[in-house]
Amino acid sequence: MWFQFISYLKFLAKSTNEHGVHSPFVFKYVTQCLYSGKRLHKKKSIDTLLKTIAYFNSNSISIDNQPTIKELIEQDFPKIQFDKHMVDLFFVNELSAPSFQKLLSKGKLHNDSLVLVDSIYADHKNLEQWNQLITLPEVTVSIDMYHCGLISIRREQVKEHFTIRI
């Protein structure tokens, strides 16, 4: 409990909104997707997931053992395919650097794939895993939104980390 409270205060101190974003890719994502005004779910990480699917027009998704979220996605996006060999969006509760490397080596992610990690501030372990992930050379863009974190492996993008309030 104290960990999340202190972490949230630290997050607020270093976070920004769209005015602190200098990457066109991230600026458009923040302004046209995250700050779109539509609320698709009461839980912020699920809301972010649904908005991200719609914004990037994702066709294939992998969800980490969460049948209720899968059902929710199927209702809103009936044409989505799940767990194909290569996915546009990977949604997980937690992700370690070795697990991410395994995803890359298995060819599960392509250049424009996104990984959305839920509850990055749930505990010390999740936050430590998140901080290790964003330092990997393959991760070019990372967005810490407190409730969840988004990473991208876009090779044409300069490596940058953003801390955005949603």
mmCIF file with all atom_site columns, all heavy atoms in Angstrom, residues 87-92 94-95 100 103-104 109 112-118 130 133 141 143 145 149-153:
data_model
loop_
_atom_site.group_PDB
_atom_site.id
_atom_site.type_symbol
_atom_site.label_atom_id
_atom_site.label_alt_id
_atom_site.label_comp_id
_atom_site.label_asym_id
_atom_site.label_entity_id
_atom_site.label_seq_id
_atom_site.pdbx_PDB_ins_code
_atom_site.Cartn_x
_atom_site.Cartn_y
_atom_site.Cartn_z
_atom_site.occupancy
_atom_site.B_iso_or_equiv
_atom_site.pdbx_formal_charge
_atom_site.auth_seq_id
_atom_site.auth_comp_id
_atom_site.auth_asym_id
_atom_site.auth_atom_id
_atom_site.pdbx_PDB_model_num
ATOM 1   N N   . VAL A 1 87  ? 1.993  -10.925 -33.536 1.00 0.00 ? 87  VAL A N   1
ATOM 2   C CA  . VAL A 1 87  ? 0.880  -10.100 -33.065 1.00 0.00 ? 87  VAL A CA  1
ATOM 3   C C   . VAL A 1 87  ? 1.206  -8.610  -33.154 1.00 0.00 ? 87  VAL A C   1
ATOM 4   O O   . VAL A 1 87  ? 2.360  -8.200  -33.109 1.00 0.00 ? 87  VAL A O   1
ATOM 5   C CB  . VAL A 1 87  ? 0.469  -10.459 -31.617 1.00 0.00 ? 87  VAL A CB  1
ATOM 6   C CG1 . VAL A 1 87  ? -0.054 -11.876 -31.537 1.00 0.00 ? 87  VAL A CG1 1
ATOM 7   C CG2 . VAL A 1 87  ? 1.591  -10.239 -30.638 1.00 0.00 ? 87  VAL A CG2 1
ATOM 8   N N   . ASP A 1 88  ? 0.143  -7.820  -33.272 1.00 0.00 ? 88  ASP A N   1
ATOM 9   C CA  . ASP A 1 88  ? 0.269  -6.366  -33.286 1.00 0.00 ? 88  ASP A CA  1
ATOM 10  C C   . ASP A 1 88  ? 0.354  -5.803  -31.868 1.00 0.00 ? 88  ASP A C   1
ATOM 11  O O   . ASP A 1 88  ? 1.010  -4.792  -31.633 1.00 0.00 ? 88  ASP A O   1
ATOM 12  C CB  . ASP A 1 88  ? -0.942 -5.730  -33.983 1.00 0.00 ? 88  ASP A CB  1
ATOM 13  C CG  . ASP A 1 88  ? -1.084 -6.165  -35.424 1.00 0.00 ? 88  ASP A CG  1
ATOM 14  O OD1 . ASP A 1 88  ? -0.055 -6.400  -36.089 1.00 0.00 ? 88  ASP A OD1 1
ATOM 15  O OD2 . ASP A 1 88  ? -2.234 -6.291  -35.894 1.00 0.00 ? 88  ASP A OD2 1
ATOM 16  N N   . LEU A 1 89  ? -0.340 -6.465  -30.946 1.00 0.00 ? 89  LEU A N   1
ATOM 17  C CA  . LEU A 1 89  ? -0.402 -5.974  -29.577 1.00 0.00 ? 89  LEU A CA  1
ATOM 18  C C   . LEU A 1 89  ? -0.352 -7.155  -28.613 1.00 0.00 ? 89  LEU A C   1
ATOM 19  O O   . LEU A 1 89  ? -1.069 -8.135  -28.786 1.00 0.00 ? 89  LEU A O   1
ATOM 20  C CB  . LEU A 1 89  ? -1.693 -5.179  -29.357 1.00 0.00 ? 89  LEU A CB  1
ATOM 21  C CG  . LEU A 1 89  ? -1.934 -4.562  -27.990 1.00 0.00 ? 89  LEU A CG  1
ATOM 22  C CD1 . LEU A 1 89  ? -0.843 -3.565  -27.623 1.00 0.00 ? 89  LEU A CD1 1
ATOM 23  C CD2 . LEU A 1 89  ? -3.280 -3.865  -27.957 1.00 0.00 ? 89  LEU A CD2 1
ATOM 24  N N   . PHE A 1 90  ? 0.503  -7.026  -27.619 1.00 0.00 ? 90  PHE A N   1
ATOM 25  C CA  . PHE A 1 90  ? 0.683  -8.063  -26.606 1.00 0.00 ? 90  PHE A CA  1
ATOM 26  C C   . PHE A 1 90  ? 0.327  -7.432  -25.271 1.00 0.00 ? 90  PHE A C   1
ATOM 27  O O   . PHE A 1 90  ? 0.923  -6.436  -24.884 1.00 0.00 ? 90  PHE A O   1
ATOM 28  C CB  . PHE A 1 90  ? 2.148  -8.516  -26.632 1.00 0.00 ? 90  PHE A CB  1
ATOM 29  C CG  . PHE A 1 90  ? 2.390  -9.841  -26.011 1.00 0.00 ? 90  PHE A CG  1
ATOM 30  C CD1 . PHE A 1 90  ? 2.193  -11.003 -26.748 1.00 0.00 ? 90  PHE A CD1 1
ATOM 31  C CD2 . PHE A 1 90  ? 2.819  -9.952  -24.708 1.00 0.00 ? 90  PHE A CD2 1
ATOM 32  C CE1 . PHE A 1 90  ? 2.418  -12.244 -26.183 1.00 0.00 ? 90  PHE A CE1 1
ATOM 33  C CE2 . PHE A 1 90  ? 3.054  -11.182 -24.130 1.00 0.00 ? 90  PHE A CE2 1
ATOM 34  C CZ  . PHE A 1 90  ? 2.846  -12.337 -24.870 1.00 0.00 ? 90  PHE A CZ  1
ATOM 35  N N   . PHE A 1 91  ? -0.671 -7.976  -24.572 1.00 0.00 ? 91  PHE A N   1
ATOM 36  C CA  . PHE A 1 91  ? -1.111 -7.426  -23.286 1.00 0.00 ? 91  PHE A CA  1
ATOM 37  C C   . PHE A 1 91  ? -0.793 -8.433  -22.190 1.00 0.00 ? 91  PHE A C   1
ATOM 38  O O   . PHE A 1 91  ? -1.240 -9.575  -22.233 1.00 0.00 ? 91  PHE A O   1
ATOM 39  C CB  . PHE A 1 91  ? -2.611 -7.138  -23.320 1.00 0.00 ? 91  PHE A CB  1
ATOM 40  C CG  . PHE A 1 91  ? -3.134 -6.517  -22.053 1.00 0.00 ? 91  PHE A CG  1
ATOM 41  C CD1 . PHE A 1 91  ? -2.860 -5.188  -21.752 1.00 0.00 ? 91  PHE A CD1 1
ATOM 42  C CD2 . PHE A 1 91  ? -3.909 -7.248  -21.172 1.00 0.00 ? 91  PHE A CD2 1
ATOM 43  C CE1 . PHE A 1 91  ? -3.346 -4.609  -20.587 1.00 0.00 ? 91  PHE A CE1 1
ATOM 44  C CE2 . PHE A 1 91  ? -4.405 -6.680  -20.004 1.00 0.00 ? 91  PHE A CE2 1
ATOM 45  C CZ  . PHE A 1 91  ? -4.119 -5.357  -19.718 1.00 0.00 ? 91  PHE A CZ  1
ATOM 46  N N   . VAL A 1 92  ? -0.003 -8.012  -21.193 1.00 0.00 ? 92  VAL A N   1
ATOM 47  C CA  . VAL A 1 92  ? 0.420  -8.899  -20.106 1.00 0.00 ? 92  VAL A CA  1
ATOM 48  C C   . VAL A 1 92  ? 0.294  -8.197  -18.760 1.00 0.00 ? 92  VAL A C   1
ATOM 49  O O   . VAL A 1 92  ? 0.333  -6.976  -18.675 1.00 0.00 ? 92  VAL A O   1
ATOM 50  C CB  . VAL A 1 92  ? 1.882  -9.373  -20.284 1.00 0.00 ? 92  VAL A CB  1
ATOM 51  C CG1 . VAL A 1 92  ? 2.022  -10.297 -21.467 1.00 0.00 ? 92  VAL A CG1 1
ATOM 52  C CG2 . VAL A 1 92  ? 2.832  -8.208  -20.411 1.00 0.00 ? 92  VAL A CG2 1
ATOM 53  N N   . GLU A 1 94  ? 2.530  -8.844  -16.291 1.00 0.00 ? 94  GLU A N   1
ATOM 54  C CA  . GLU A 1 94  ? 3.921  -8.536  -15.968 1.00 0.00 ? 94  GLU A CA  1
ATOM 55  C C   . GLU A 1 94  ? 4.789  -9.144  -17.051 1.00 0.00 ? 94  GLU A C   1
ATOM 56  O O   . GLU A 1 94  ? 4.400  -10.101 -17.712 1.00 0.00 ? 94  GLU A O   1
ATOM 57  C CB  . GLU A 1 94  ? 4.314  -9.052  -14.589 1.00 0.00 ? 94  GLU A CB  1
ATOM 58  C CG  . GLU A 1 94  ? 4.186  -10.552 -14.416 1.00 0.00 ? 94  GLU A CG  1
ATOM 59  C CD  . GLU A 1 94  ? 4.594  -11.006 -13.033 1.00 0.00 ? 94  GLU A CD  1
ATOM 60  O OE1 . GLU A 1 94  ? 3.855  -10.723 -12.080 1.00 0.00 ? 94  GLU A OE1 1
ATOM 61  O OE2 . GLU A 1 94  ? 5.658  -11.651 -12.928 1.00 0.00 ? 94  GLU A OE2 1
ATOM 62  N N   . LEU A 1 95  ? 5.976  -8.577  -17.223 1.00 0.00 ? 95  LEU A N   1
ATOM 63  C CA  . LEU A 1 95  ? 6.867  -9.056  -18.275 1.00 0.00 ? 95  LEU A CA  1
ATOM 64  C C   . LEU A 1 95  ? 8.307  -8.787  -17.857 1.00 0.00 ? 95  LEU A C   1
ATOM 65  O O   . LEU A 1 95  ? 8.688  -7.647  -17.624 1.00 0.00 ? 95  LEU A O   1
ATOM 66  C CB  . LEU A 1 95  ? 6.562  -8.344  -19.602 1.00 0.00 ? 95  LEU A CB  1
ATOM 67  C CG  . LEU A 1 95  ? 7.329  -8.799  -20.818 1.00 0.00 ? 95  LEU A CG  1
ATOM 68  C CD1 . LEU A 1 95  ? 6.990  -10.248 -21.177 1.00 0.00 ? 95  LEU A CD1 1
ATOM 69  C CD2 . LEU A 1 95  ? 7.015  -7.900  -22.009 1.00 0.00 ? 95  LEU A CD2 1
ATOM 70  N N   . PHE A 1 100 ? 10.616 -11.042 -22.525 1.00 0.00 ? 100 PHE A N   1
ATOM 71  C CA  . PHE A 1 100 ? 10.514 -10.166 -23.693 1.00 0.00 ? 100 PHE A CA  1
ATOM 72  C C   . PHE A 1 100 ? 11.500 -10.611 -24.776 1.00 0.00 ? 100 PHE A C   1
ATOM 73  O O   . PHE A 1 100 ? 11.143 -10.663 -25.954 1.00 0.00 ? 100 PHE A O   1
ATOM 74  C CB  . PHE A 1 100 ? 10.788 -8.709  -23.283 1.00 0.00 ? 100 PHE A CB  1
ATOM 75  C CG  . PHE A 1 100 ? 10.728 -7.747  -24.427 1.00 0.00 ? 100 PHE A CG  1
ATOM 76  C CD1 . PHE A 1 100 ? 9.519  -7.380  -24.986 1.00 0.00 ? 100 PHE A CD1 1
ATOM 77  C CD2 . PHE A 1 100 ? 11.896 -7.210  -24.946 1.00 0.00 ? 100 PHE A CD2 1
ATOM 78  C CE1 . PHE A 1 100 ? 9.467  -6.494  -26.049 1.00 0.00 ? 100 PHE A CE1 1
ATOM 79  C CE2 . PHE A 1 100 ? 11.856 -6.323  -26.009 1.00 0.00 ? 100 PHE A CE2 1
ATOM 80  C CZ  . PHE A 1 100 ? 10.631 -5.966  -26.553 1.00 0.00 ? 100 PHE A CZ  1
ATOM 81  N N   . LEU A 1 103 ? 10.073 -13.512 -26.568 1.00 0.00 ? 103 LEU A N   1
ATOM 82  C CA  . LEU A 1 103 ? 9.052  -13.100 -27.538 1.00 0.00 ? 103 LEU A CA  1
ATOM 83  C C   . LEU A 1 103 ? 9.692  -12.649 -28.844 1.00 0.00 ? 103 LEU A C   1
ATOM 84  O O   . LEU A 1 103 ? 9.223  -12.984 -29.930 1.00 0.00 ? 103 LEU A O   1
ATOM 85  C CB  . LEU A 1 103 ? 8.216  -11.945 -26.985 1.00 0.00 ? 103 LEU A CB  1
ATOM 86  C CG  . LEU A 1 103 ? 7.177  -12.229 -25.942 1.00 0.00 ? 103 LEU A CG  1
ATOM 87  C CD1 . LEU A 1 103 ? 6.579  -10.925 -25.431 1.00 0.00 ? 103 LEU A CD1 1
ATOM 88  C CD2 . LEU A 1 103 ? 6.094  -13.130 -26.491 1.00 0.00 ? 103 LEU A CD2 1
ATOM 89  N N   . LEU A 1 104 ? 10.767 -11.866 -28.723 1.00 0.00 ? 104 LEU A N   1
ATOM 90  C CA  . LEU A 1 104 ? 11.472 -11.390 -29.913 1.00 0.00 ? 104 LEU A CA  1
ATOM 91  C C   . LEU A 1 104 ? 12.110 -12.537 -30.680 1.00 0.00 ? 104 LEU A C   1
ATOM 92  O O   . LEU A 1 104 ? 12.005 -12.608 -31.908 1.00 0.00 ? 104 LEU A O   1
ATOM 93  C CB  . LEU A 1 104 ? 12.540 -10.364 -29.523 1.00 0.00 ? 104 LEU A CB  1
ATOM 94  C CG  . LEU A 1 104 ? 12.050 -9.002  -29.062 1.00 0.00 ? 104 LEU A CG  1
ATOM 95  C CD1 . LEU A 1 104 ? 13.228 -8.152  -28.594 1.00 0.00 ? 104 LEU A CD1 1
ATOM 96  C CD2 . LEU A 1 104 ? 11.311 -8.285  -30.174 1.00 0.00 ? 104 LEU A CD2 1
ATOM 97  N N   . LEU A 1 109 ? 6.762  -10.713 -32.231 1.00 0.00 ? 109 LEU A N   1
ATOM 98  C CA  . LEU A 1 109 ? 6.582  -9.273  -32.400 1.00 0.00 ? 109 LEU A CA  1
ATOM 99  C C   . LEU A 1 109 ? 7.227  -8.804  -33.700 1.00 0.00 ? 109 LEU A C   1
ATOM 100 O O   . LEU A 1 109 ? 8.311  -9.229  -34.046 1.00 0.00 ? 109 LEU A O   1
ATOM 101 C CB  . LEU A 1 109 ? 7.214  -8.526  -31.221 1.00 0.00 ? 109 LEU A CB  1
ATOM 102 C CG  . LEU A 1 109 ? 6.741  -8.904  -29.821 1.00 0.00 ? 109 LEU A CG  1
ATOM 103 C CD1 . LEU A 1 109 ? 7.585  -8.208  -28.768 1.00 0.00 ? 109 LEU A CD1 1
ATOM 104 C CD2 . LEU A 1 109 ? 5.279  -8.584  -29.638 1.00 0.00 ? 109 LEU A CD2 1
ATOM 105 N N   . ASP A 1 112 ? 6.276  -2.957  -35.762 1.00 0.00 ? 112 ASP A N   1
ATOM 106 C CA  . ASP A 1 112 ? 5.242  -2.049  -35.271 1.00 0.00 ? 112 ASP A CA  1
ATOM 107 C C   . ASP A 1 112 ? 4.427  -2.639  -34.126 1.00 0.00 ? 112 ASP A C   1
ATOM 108 O O   . ASP A 1 112 ? 3.411  -2.070  -33.735 1.00 0.00 ? 112 ASP A O   1
ATOM 109 C CB  . ASP A 1 112 ? 4.311  -1.636  -36.411 1.00 0.00 ? 112 ASP A CB  1
ATOM 110 C CG  . ASP A 1 112 ? 5.035  -0.785  -37.444 1.00 0.00 ? 112 ASP A CG  1
ATOM 111 O OD1 . ASP A 1 112 ? 5.863  0.053   -37.046 1.00 0.00 ? 112 ASP A OD1 1
ATOM 112 O OD2 . ASP A 1 112 ? 4.782  -0.962  -38.652 1.00 0.00 ? 112 ASP A OD2 1
ATOM 113 N N   . SER A 1 113 ? 4.853  -3.774  -33.598 1.00 0.00 ? 113 SER A N   1
ATOM 114 C CA  . SER A 1 113 ? 4.150  -4.384  -32.459 1.00 0.00 ? 113 SER A CA  1
ATOM 115 C C   . SER A 1 113 ? 4.302  -3.518  -31.217 1.00 0.00 ? 113 SER A C   1
ATOM 116 O O   . SER A 1 113 ? 5.312  -2.834  -31.034 1.00 0.00 ? 113 SER A O   1
ATOM 117 C CB  . SER A 1 113 ? 4.718  -5.765  -32.145 1.00 0.00 ? 113 SER A CB  1
ATOM 118 O OG  . SER A 1 113 ? 4.408  -6.685  -33.143 1.00 0.00 ? 113 SER A OG  1
ATOM 119 N N   . LEU A 1 114 ? 3.290  -3.594  -30.378 1.00 0.00 ? 114 LEU A N   1
ATOM 120 C CA  . LEU A 1 114 ? 3.299  -2.889  -29.100 1.00 0.00 ? 114 LEU A CA  1
ATOM 121 C C   . LEU A 1 114 ? 3.092  -3.896  -27.982 1.00 0.00 ? 114 LEU A C   1
ATOM 122 O O   . LEU A 1 114 ? 2.397  -4.890  -28.167 1.00 0.00 ? 114 LEU A O   1
ATOM 123 C CB  . LEU A 1 114 ? 2.167  -1.858  -29.058 1.00 0.00 ? 114 LEU A CB  1
ATOM 124 C CG  . LEU A 1 114 ? 2.200  -0.776  -30.128 1.00 0.00 ? 114 LEU A CG  1
ATOM 125 C CD1 . LEU A 1 114 ? 0.882  -0.021  -30.146 1.00 0.00 ? 114 LEU A CD1 1
ATOM 126 C CD2 . LEU A 1 114 ? 3.355  0.166   -29.892 1.00 0.00 ? 114 LEU A CD2 1
ATOM 127 N N   . VAL A 1 115 ? 3.688  -3.620  -26.841 1.00 0.00 ? 115 VAL A N   1
ATOM 128 C CA  . VAL A 1 115 ? 3.490  -4.447  -25.657 1.00 0.00 ? 115 VAL A CA  1
ATOM 129 C C   . VAL A 1 115 ? 2.941  -3.532  -24.570 1.00 0.00 ? 115 VAL A C   1
ATOM 130 O O   . VAL A 1 115 ? 3.554  -2.520  -24.233 1.00 0.00 ? 115 VAL A O   1
ATOM 131 C CB  . VAL A 1 115 ? 4.798  -5.111  -25.190 1.00 0.00 ? 115 VAL A CB  1
ATOM 132 C CG1 . VAL A 1 115 ? 4.554  -5.932  -23.932 1.00 0.00 ? 115 VAL A CG1 1
ATOM 133 C CG2 . VAL A 1 115 ? 5.394  -5.978  -26.295 1.00 0.00 ? 115 VAL A CG2 1
ATOM 134 N N   . LEU A 1 116 ? 1.773  -3.887  -24.073 1.00 0.00 ? 116 LEU A N   1
ATOM 135 C CA  . LEU A 1 116 ? 1.147  -3.125  -23.003 1.00 0.00 ? 116 LEU A CA  1
ATOM 136 C C   . LEU A 1 116 ? 1.233  -3.960  -21.725 1.00 0.00 ? 116 LEU A C   1
ATOM 137 O O   . LEU A 1 116 ? 0.713  -5.066  -21.663 1.00 0.00 ? 116 LEU A O   1
ATOM 138 C CB  . LEU A 1 116 ? -0.312 -2.820  -23.348 1.00 0.00 ? 116 LEU A CB  1
ATOM 139 C CG  . LEU A 1 116 ? -1.048 -1.820  -22.474 1.00 0.00 ? 116 LEU A CG  1
ATOM 140 C CD1 . LEU A 1 116 ? -0.377 -0.445  -22.502 1.00 0.00 ? 116 LEU A CD1 1
ATOM 141 C CD2 . LEU A 1 116 ? -2.490 -1.689  -22.922 1.00 0.00 ? 116 LEU A CD2 1
ATOM 142 N N   . VAL A 1 117 ? 1.944  -3.413  -20.737 1.00 0.00 ? 117 VAL A N   1
ATOM 143 C CA  . VAL A 1 117 ? 2.168  -4.123  -19.481 1.00 0.00 ? 117 VAL A CA  1
ATOM 144 C C   . VAL A 1 117 ? 1.272  -3.496  -18.418 1.00 0.00 ? 117 VAL A C   1
ATOM 145 O O   . VAL A 1 117 ? 1.393  -2.312  -18.120 1.00 0.00 ? 117 VAL A O   1
ATOM 146 C CB  . VAL A 1 117 ? 3.653  -4.043  -19.051 1.00 0.00 ? 117 VAL A CB  1
ATOM 147 C CG1 . VAL A 1 117 ? 3.876  -4.850  -17.780 1.00 0.00 ? 117 VAL A CG1 1
ATOM 148 C CG2 . VAL A 1 117 ? 4.571  -4.521  -20.165 1.00 0.00 ? 117 VAL A CG2 1
ATOM 149 N N   . ASP A 1 118 ? 0.378  -4.304  -17.868 1.00 0.00 ? 118 ASP A N   1
ATOM 150 C CA  . ASP A 1 118 ? -0.571 -3.838  -16.863 1.00 0.00 ? 118 ASP A CA  1
ATOM 151 C C   . ASP A 1 118 ? 0.116  -3.737  -15.495 1.00 0.00 ? 118 ASP A C   1
ATOM 152 O O   . ASP A 1 118 ? 1.037  -4.479  -15.190 1.00 0.00 ? 118 ASP A O   1
ATOM 153 C CB  . ASP A 1 118 ? -1.742 -4.822  -16.783 1.00 0.00 ? 118 ASP A CB  1
ATOM 154 C CG  . ASP A 1 118 ? -2.931 -4.276  -16.023 1.00 0.00 ? 118 ASP A CG  1
ATOM 155 O OD1 . ASP A 1 118 ? -2.940 -3.086  -15.676 1.00 0.00 ? 118 ASP A OD1 1
ATOM 156 O OD2 . ASP A 1 118 ? -3.866 -5.057  -15.781 1.00 0.00 ? 118 ASP A OD2 1
ATOM 157 N N   . TRP A 1 130 ? 9.763  -3.590  -15.147 1.00 0.00 ? 130 TRP A N   1
ATOM 158 C CA  . TRP A 1 130 ? 9.493  -2.509  -16.106 1.00 0.00 ? 130 TRP A CA  1
ATOM 159 C C   . TRP A 1 130 ? 10.767 -1.707  -16.370 1.00 0.00 ? 130 TRP A C   1
ATOM 160 O O   . TRP A 1 130 ? 11.114 -1.431  -17.512 1.00 0.00 ? 130 TRP A O   1
ATOM 161 C CB  . TRP A 1 130 ? 8.382  -1.605  -15.575 1.00 0.00 ? 130 TRP A CB  1
ATOM 162 C CG  . TRP A 1 130 ? 8.207  -0.347  -16.370 1.00 0.00 ? 130 TRP A CG  1
ATOM 163 C CD1 . TRP A 1 130 ? 8.589  0.905   -16.014 1.00 0.00 ? 130 TRP A CD1 1
ATOM 164 C CD2 . TRP A 1 130 ? 7.631  -0.228  -17.674 1.00 0.00 ? 130 TRP A CD2 1
ATOM 165 N NE1 . TRP A 1 130 ? 8.284  1.802   -17.000 1.00 0.00 ? 130 TRP A NE1 1
ATOM 166 C CE2 . TRP A 1 130 ? 7.689  1.130   -18.037 1.00 0.00 ? 130 TRP A CE2 1
ATOM 167 C CE3 . TRP A 1 130 ? 7.069  -1.128  -18.563 1.00 0.00 ? 130 TRP A CE3 1
ATOM 168 C CZ2 . TRP A 1 130 ? 7.206  1.611   -19.250 1.00 0.00 ? 130 TRP A CZ2 1
ATOM 169 C CZ3 . TRP A 1 130 ? 6.578  -0.647  -19.785 1.00 0.00 ? 130 TRP A CZ3 1
ATOM 170 C CH2 . TRP A 1 130 ? 6.654  0.704   -20.112 1.00 0.00 ? 130 TRP A CH2 1
ATOM 171 N N   . LEU A 1 133 ? 13.040 -3.643  -18.563 1.00 0.00 ? 133 LEU A N   1
ATOM 172 C CA  . LEU A 1 133 ? 12.532 -3.705  -19.936 1.00 0.00 ? 133 LEU A CA  1
ATOM 173 C C   . LEU A 1 133 ? 12.887 -2.453  -20.736 1.00 0.00 ? 133 LEU A C   1
ATOM 174 O O   . LEU A 1 133 ? 13.337 -2.550  -21.879 1.00 0.00 ? 133 LEU A O   1
ATOM 175 C CB  . LEU A 1 133 ? 11.007 -3.842  -19.937 1.00 0.00 ? 133 LEU A CB  1
ATOM 176 C CG  . LEU A 1 133 ? 10.396 -5.205  -19.875 1.00 0.00 ? 133 LEU A CG  1
ATOM 177 C CD1 . LEU A 1 133 ? 8.884  -5.098  -19.761 1.00 0.00 ? 133 LEU A CD1 1
ATOM 178 C CD2 . LEU A 1 133 ? 10.780 -6.040  -21.069 1.00 0.00 ? 133 LEU A CD2 1
ATOM 179 N N   . VAL A 1 141 ? 10.731 2.903   -27.750 1.00 0.00 ? 141 VAL A N   1
ATOM 180 C CA  . VAL A 1 141 ? 9.809  3.852   -27.129 1.00 0.00 ? 141 VAL A CA  1
ATOM 181 C C   . VAL A 1 141 ? 9.167  3.173   -25.933 1.00 0.00 ? 141 VAL A C   1
ATOM 182 O O   . VAL A 1 141 ? 8.696  2.043   -26.031 1.00 0.00 ? 141 VAL A O   1
ATOM 183 C CB  . VAL A 1 141 ? 8.705  4.295   -28.116 1.00 0.00 ? 141 VAL A CB  1
ATOM 184 C CG1 . VAL A 1 141 ? 7.676  5.165   -27.418 1.00 0.00 ? 141 VAL A CG1 1
ATOM 185 C CG2 . VAL A 1 141 ? 9.294  5.033   -29.289 1.00 0.00 ? 141 VAL A CG2 1
ATOM 186 N N   . ILE A 1 143 ? 6.427  4.187   -22.653 1.00 0.00 ? 143 ILE A N   1
ATOM 187 C CA  . ILE A 1 143 ? 5.539  5.190   -22.069 1.00 0.00 ? 143 ILE A CA  1
ATOM 188 C C   . ILE A 1 143 ? 5.030  4.654   -20.738 1.00 0.00 ? 143 ILE A C   1
ATOM 189 O O   . ILE A 1 143 ? 4.309  3.668   -20.694 1.00 0.00 ? 143 ILE A O   1
ATOM 190 C CB  . ILE A 1 143 ? 4.343  5.511   -22.997 1.00 0.00 ? 143 ILE A CB  1
ATOM 191 C CG1 . ILE A 1 143 ? 4.822  5.927   -24.386 1.00 0.00 ? 143 ILE A CG1 1
ATOM 192 C CG2 . ILE A 1 143 ? 3.470  6.596   -22.373 1.00 0.00 ? 143 ILE A CG2 1
ATOM 193 C CD1 . ILE A 1 143 ? 3.708  6.075   -25.409 1.00 0.00 ? 143 ILE A CD1 1
ATOM 194 N N   . MET A 1 145 ? 2.579  5.109   -17.887 1.00 0.00 ? 145 MET A N   1
ATOM 195 C CA  . MET A 1 145 ? 1.309  5.787   -17.627 1.00 0.00 ? 145 MET A CA  1
ATOM 196 C C   . MET A 1 145 ? 0.794  5.458   -16.228 1.00 0.00 ? 145 MET A C   1
ATOM 197 O O   . MET A 1 145 ? -0.391 5.571   -15.967 1.00 0.00 ? 145 MET A O   1
ATOM 198 C CB  . MET A 1 145 ? 0.280  5.382   -18.691 1.00 0.00 ? 145 MET A CB  1
ATOM 199 C CG  . MET A 1 145 ? 0.699  5.760   -20.098 1.00 0.00 ? 145 MET A CG  1
ATOM 200 S SD  . MET A 1 145 ? -0.371 5.056   -21.359 1.00 0.00 ? 145 MET A SD  1
ATOM 201 C CE  . MET A 1 145 ? 0.496  3.539   -21.738 1.00 0.00 ? 145 MET A CE  1
ATOM 202 N N   . GLY A 1 149 ? 2.096  0.352   -18.769 1.00 0.00 ? 149 GLY A N   1
ATOM 203 C CA  . GLY A 1 149 ? 3.215  0.880   -19.540 1.00 0.00 ? 149 GLY A CA  1
ATOM 204 C C   . GLY A 1 149 ? 3.180  0.306   -20.941 1.00 0.00 ? 149 GLY A C   1
ATOM 205 O O   . GLY A 1 149 ? 2.796  -0.850  -21.145 1.00 0.00 ? 149 GLY A O   1
ATOM 206 N N   . LEU A 1 150 ? 3.560  1.111   -21.904 1.00 0.00 ? 150 LEU A N   1
ATOM 207 C CA  . LEU A 1 150 ? 3.570  0.689   -23.303 1.00 0.00 ? 150 LEU A CA  1
ATOM 208 C C   . LEU A 1 150 ? 5.003  0.704   -23.810 1.00 0.00 ? 150 LEU A C   1
ATOM 209 O O   . LEU A 1 150 ? 5.723  1.684   -23.578 1.00 0.00 ? 150 LEU A O   1
ATOM 210 C CB  . LEU A 1 150 ? 2.711  1.631   -24.150 1.00 0.00 ? 150 LEU A CB  1
ATOM 211 C CG  . LEU A 1 150 ? 2.553  1.243   -25.608 1.00 0.00 ? 150 LEU A CG  1
ATOM 212 C CD1 . LEU A 1 150 ? 1.408  0.246   -25.746 1.00 0.00 ? 150 LEU A CD1 1
ATOM 213 C CD2 . LEU A 1 150 ? 2.269  2.467   -26.454 1.00 0.00 ? 150 LEU A CD2 1
ATOM 214 N N   . ILE A 1 151 ? 5.400  -0.373  -24.490 1.00 0.00 ? 151 ILE A N   1
ATOM 215 C CA  . ILE A 1 151 ? 6.719  -0.382  -25.120 1.00 0.00 ? 151 ILE A CA  1
ATOM 216 C C   . ILE A 1 151 ? 6.573  -0.714  -26.590 1.00 0.00 ? 151 ILE A C   1
ATOM 217 O O   . ILE A 1 151 ? 5.666  -1.435  -27.001 1.00 0.00 ? 151 ILE A O   1
ATOM 218 C CB  . ILE A 1 151 ? 7.707  -1.346  -24.421 1.00 0.00 ? 151 ILE A CB  1
ATOM 219 C CG1 . ILE A 1 151 ? 7.188  -2.765  -24.395 1.00 0.00 ? 151 ILE A CG1 1
ATOM 220 C CG2 . ILE A 1 151 ? 8.035  -0.872  -23.034 1.00 0.00 ? 151 ILE A CG2 1
ATOM 221 C CD1 . ILE A 1 151 ? 8.180  -3.759  -23.812 1.00 0.00 ? 151 ILE A CD1 1
ATOM 222 N N   . SER A 1 152 ? 7.486  -0.162  -27.361 1.00 0.00 ? 152 SER A N   1
ATOM 223 C CA  . SER A 1 152 ? 7.492  -0.353  -28.798 1.00 0.00 ? 152 SER A CA  1
ATOM 224 C C   . SER A 1 152 ? 8.904  -0.688  -29.248 1.00 0.00 ? 152 SER A C   1
ATOM 225 O O   . SER A 1 152 ? 9.878  -0.261  -28.624 1.00 0.00 ? 152 SER A O   1
ATOM 226 C CB  . SER A 1 152 ? 7.018  0.944   -29.476 1.00 0.00 ? 152 SER A CB  1
ATOM 227 O OG  . SER A 1 152 ? 7.217  0.881   -30.865 1.00 0.00 ? 152 SER A OG  1
ATOM 228 N N   . ILE A 1 153 ? 9.016  -1.424  -30.340 1.00 0.00 ? 153 ILE A N   1
ATOM 229 C CA  . ILE A 1 153 ? 10.330 -1.805  -30.866 1.00 0.00 ? 153 ILE A CA  1
ATOM 230 C C   . ILE A 1 153 ? 10.553 -1.187  -32.251 1.00 0.00 ? 153 ILE A C   1
ATOM 231 O O   . ILE A 1 153 ? 11.294 -1.727  -33.055 1.00 0.00 ? 153 ILE A O   1
ATOM 232 C CB  . ILE A 1 153 ? 10.483 -3.338  -30.923 1.00 0.00 ? 153 ILE A CB  1
ATOM 233 C CG1 . ILE A 1 153 ? 9.358  -3.976  -31.737 1.00 0.00 ? 153 ILE A CG1 1
ATOM 234 C CG2 . ILE A 1 153 ? 10.530 -3.920  -29.533 1.00 0.00 ? 153 ILE A CG2 1
ATOM 235 C CD1 . ILE A 1 153 ? 9.539  -5.455  -31.994 1.00 0.00 ? 153 ILE A CD1 1
#
